Amino acid sequence: MHKQLTFEQRHYINIARNNDKSMRTIAKDLNVSHTTVSREILA
C-alpha cells in the first residue's frame, strides 16, 4: 500500500524533473518509494 502524495510533494516532483533530477533522487529527497514517484510522473 502506498500513501498519497501531498500537493507540495507533487509540486517538488515537477520542479525537480524540470531540473533533470532522477526519479530515485526525488524519491530519496521526499522519503518515498521511487515507484511512487514513477507513478506520479506517468499519471
Side-chain angles (χ1 to χ4, degrees):
M1 183 173 135
H2 61 89
K3 67 176 190 158
Q4 292 186 343
L5 296 172
T6 65
F7 173 81
E8 290 81 9
Q9 288 172 315
R10 288 186 174 101
H11 184 66
Y12 179 84
I13 290 169
N14 286 328
I15 291 170
R17 287 301 285 171
N18 286 336
N19 288 305
D20 297 323
K21 276 198 171 190
S22 72
M23 282 189 265
R24 287 185 184 268
T25 300
I26 295 167
K28 193 178 214 182
D29 290 348
L30 296 176
N31 197 32
V32 298
S33 166
H34 70 277
T35 305
T36 300
V37 175
S38 176
R39 281 192 198 109
E40 183 63 28
I41 291 170
L42 296 175

